[in-house]
Amino acid sequence: MAFGAITATQLGQTLSLGRAEGALTPPVLAAVGGSGGFTLAAMYVPPLAGFLGLTAPTIPGILLIAGAAIASVLLAGGVGEVEHPLRGLPRPRPRALLTGASA
């Protein structure tokens, strides 16, 4: 169940923050879809689950995984408008002003 919960929380945050110009980008959707598909296969396809030592979660386990994913997105502030992390940072000064050299 821990594998599923960790993966689901990371995929939830990726979906929450993986927007460009207000929409999810195709690479983000493809990455989340591929990772989610592998996670499900790792838990439910017997040869792969056996190789990785995973078992399919029970219904309560699935509910806990979903709750963890939703809580991680809410706690990270990923609901609503997401601001770009680099906006608002001071711009670097031109090198000529820092060294005293003329341009």
Side-chain angles (χ1 to χ4, degrees), residues 1-6 8-9 43 57-58 60-70:
M1 188 176 84
F3 174 73
I6 290 170
T9 57
M43 291 189 290
T58 61
I62 292 170
L63 294 174
L64 286 172
I65 290 169
I70 292 168

Side-chain angles (χ1 to χ4, degrees), residues 9 12-19 68-85:
T9 57
Q13 290 183 11
T14 300
L15 282 175
S16 174
L17 299 173
R19 291 183 231 133
I70 292 168
S72 74
V73 172
L74 293 175
L75 290 172
V79 177
E81 186 64 29
V82 176
E83 187 172 326
H84 191 279

Side-chain angles (χ1 to χ4, degrees), residues 6-73:
I6 290 170
T7 305
T9 57
Q10 293 300 306
L11 293 178
Q13 290 183 11
T14 300
L15 282 175
S16 174
L17 299 173
R19 291 183 231 133
E21 297 178 11
L24 287 170
T25 62
V28 169
L29 288 174
V32 170
S35 297
F38 178 78
T39 300
L40 290 174
M43 291 189 290
Y44 289 102
V45 175
L48 186 56
F51 177 73
L52 296 173
L54 300 173
T55 59
T58 61
I59 298 295
I62 292 170
L63 294 174
L64 286 172
I65 290 169
I70 292 168
S72 74
V73 172

Side-chain angles (χ1 to χ4, degrees), residues 83-92:
E83 187 172 326
H84 191 279
L86 298 179
R87 282 197 189 122
L89 292 178
R91 291 181 178 225

